[in-house]
Amino acid sequence: MDLTKLFEIQAGLDYHITKEHPEKNDENRLSKKVLALQVELGECANEWRGFKFWSNNQVSRENLLLEEYVDCFHFLLSIGNTLNFRNLLPNKKPLDTEVVDLFNLLFEHISFLRDKECQSLEFYSMVFQEFTVLGEQLGFTWEQVENAYLEKNKINHERQLSGY
């Protein structure tokens, strides 16, 4: 996966969105992107269904799960662009974490991205690593993720052109 290319593609979508929906003077877009990422992560967890101990239906619908995961990826890349973190640091240690724990960890760490003290390349790289491990744990290859991202990116551009 060519992350540099994906950050650039996301920057193009971010520019298109900003052109259609200009940022207001007192608006904190980063905070809104963090919340949007958390909402999409919740939708991804809901589609995964593996935490629903009260339900006999624990089977996720893979196509919808991938779509929700890719929606998260859009916001994660957008946050990286906002913070100028395109050159991720290499993974320091492998994560051997259960899916439920990864979702919980991501919710916690994503919320810290609003805090100036956590807006470092190292912290963002850690969140990115947790997110990629989640994708692997959910059974996605990076080829699947990249293809789904590119397809959804086209849809997102079309939505902006149609007054979404």
Side-chain angles (χ1 to χ4, degrees), residues 78-95:
S78 184
I79 290 168
N81 281 332
T82 297
L83 297 172
N84 293 315
F85 296 152
R86 291 180 169 201
N87 299 320
L88 298 175
L89 298 173
N91 297 344
K92 292 191 176 188
K93 60 181 181 175
L95 289 175

Side-chain angles (χ1 to χ4, degrees), residues 54-70:
W54 59 89
S55 174
N56 290 326
N57 182 1
Q58 299 277 316
V59 179
S60 62
R61 295 173 290 191
E62 187 176 332
N63 59 330
L64 293 176
L65 181 60
L66 178 59
E67 184 178 325
E68 296 300 344
Y69 183 81
V70 166

Side-chain angles (χ1 to χ4, degrees), residues 38-153:
Q38 289 173 316
V39 168
E40 294 298 340
L41 188 63
E43 291 176 8
C44 186
N46 194 49
E47 202 51 57
W48 171 62
R49 303 190 58 78
F51 69 96
K52 296 183 177 189
F53 59 88
W54 59 89
S55 174
N56 290 326
N57 182 1
Q58 299 277 316
V59 179
S60 62
R61 295 173 290 191
E62 187 176 332
N63 59 330
L64 293 176
L65 181 60
L66 178 59
E67 184 178 325
E68 296 300 344
Y69 183 81
V70 166
D71 286 345
C72 296
F73 195 39
H74 273 85
F75 284 108
L76 186 60
L77 290 170
S78 184
I79 290 168
N81 281 332
T82 297
L83 297 172
N84 293 315
F85 296 152
R86 291 180 169 201
N87 299 320
L88 298 175
L89 298 173
N91 297 344
K92 292 191 176 188
K93 60 181 181 175
L95 289 175
D96 185 22
T97 308
E98 296 293 320
V99 174
V100 169
D101 295 330
L102 280 168
F103 274 114
N104 283 321
L105 204 60
L106 278 162
F107 273 110
E108 180 181 352
H109 289 163
I110 288 166
S111 69
F112 290 140
L113 289 171
R114 293 174 297 141
D115 185 353
K116 289 261 188 230
E117 293 175 13
C118 293
Q119 292 174 2
S120 68
L121 179 57
E122 183 175 44
F123 189 82
Y124 178 78
S125 293
M126 178 189 69
V127 172
F128 203 96
Q129 177 192 9
E130 293 166 356
F131 182 75
T132 58
V133 171
L134 175 64
E136 292 165 3
Q137 292 275 353
L138 294 174
F140 302 130
T141 66
W142 281 111
E143 183 178 359
Q144 285 177 295
V145 172
E146 185 172 9
N147 289 338
Y149 171 83
L150 294 172
E151 186 59 37
K152 185 64 182 267
N153 191 272

